[in-house]
Amino acid sequence: MPAKSKAQQKAAGAALAAKRGDAKRSDLQGASKDMYDSMSEAELEEFASTSRKGLPEHKG
């Protein structure tokens, strides 16, 4: 399932970085923290790899 907004794609990228150990989990906040806890690395990778071209900043 691709990300539906740029904000969702960014949050998934931050959560994925934390899952992989490239960023600290304690630095996460809001949606990225929820995504970290509830999604697998594969799911996060799918969201984070969504092209941002044509996506709205926030889903409506």
Side-chain angles (χ1 to χ4, degrees), residues 13-31:
L16 180 61
K19 277 261 194 210
R20 291 180 173 170
D22 297 333
K24 294 180 185 175
R25 183 179 185 271
S26 60
D27 290 342
L28 298 178
Q29 51 186 319

Side-chain angles (χ1 to χ4, degrees), residues 37-50:
D37 292 332
S38 66
M39 298 175 78
S40 69
E41 188 173 329
E43 290 172 316
L44 288 170
E45 189 168 337
E46 186 176 350
F47 266 74
S49 67
T50 302

